[in-house]
């Protein structure tokens, strides 16, 4: 009886270790299209300005860790020229729209304008290409709050 209990305990531990290892592997994230971005303290910057994801469904979580500033992520279909146009249109659209332009044809996806400490997860489908992501709060893109999403 004593021996069989010990064998059972060893088997249980082995199964537990396997389950923990398997779960740990799946939470790797970026390789399966799950991205996480935070703000870089109180700087006008993202923690990770170079994102990559495989083509297809992408899940992106944005954590605004600033204590004082509102931020968003707007993923633009193009480079800095398109980003600048979207940013200008966002400023014109104003606070009432969360600084999202009415014409979203150049926007692949975006979060809401997030208050300090807020976060949001968005899902979108991305084709292969290079996209620029920016914060459209007035002055933030101009201040350097931008990055590049590469979809392969
Ligand atoms: Cu911002």
């Amino acid at each position: 009886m004593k021996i069989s209990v010990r064998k059972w305990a060893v088997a249980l531990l082995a199964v537990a270790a396997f389950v923990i290892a398997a779960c740990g592997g799946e939470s790797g994230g970026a390789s399966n299209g799950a991205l996480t971005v935070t703000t870089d303290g109180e700087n006008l910057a993202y923690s990770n300005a170079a994102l990559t994801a495989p083509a297809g469904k992408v899940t992106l979580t944005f954590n605004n860790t600033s204590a004082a500033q509102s931020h968003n992520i707007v993923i633009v279909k193009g480079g800095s020229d398109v980003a600048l146009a979207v940013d200008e249109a966002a400023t014109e659209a104003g606070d009432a729209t969360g600084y999202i332009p009415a014409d979203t044809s150049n926007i692949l996806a975006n979060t809401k304008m997030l208050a300090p400490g807020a976060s949001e997860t968005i899902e979108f489908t991305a084709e292969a290409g290079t996209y620029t992501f920016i914060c459209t709060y007035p002055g933030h893109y101009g201040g350097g709050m931008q990055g590049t999403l590469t979809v392969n």
Side-chain angles (χ1 to χ4, degrees), residues 70-72 135 137 140 145:
S70 293
H71 293 298
N72 66 2
C135 175
Y137 193 94
H140 288 197
M145 195 156 192

Side-chain angles (χ1 to χ4, degrees), residues 19-45:
V19 168
I20 289 166
C23 290
E26 280 187 16
S27 68
S31 62
N32 59 10
L35 305 172
T36 301
V37 183
T38 67
T39 50
D40 180 18
E42 299 303 332
N43 297 320
L44 294 180

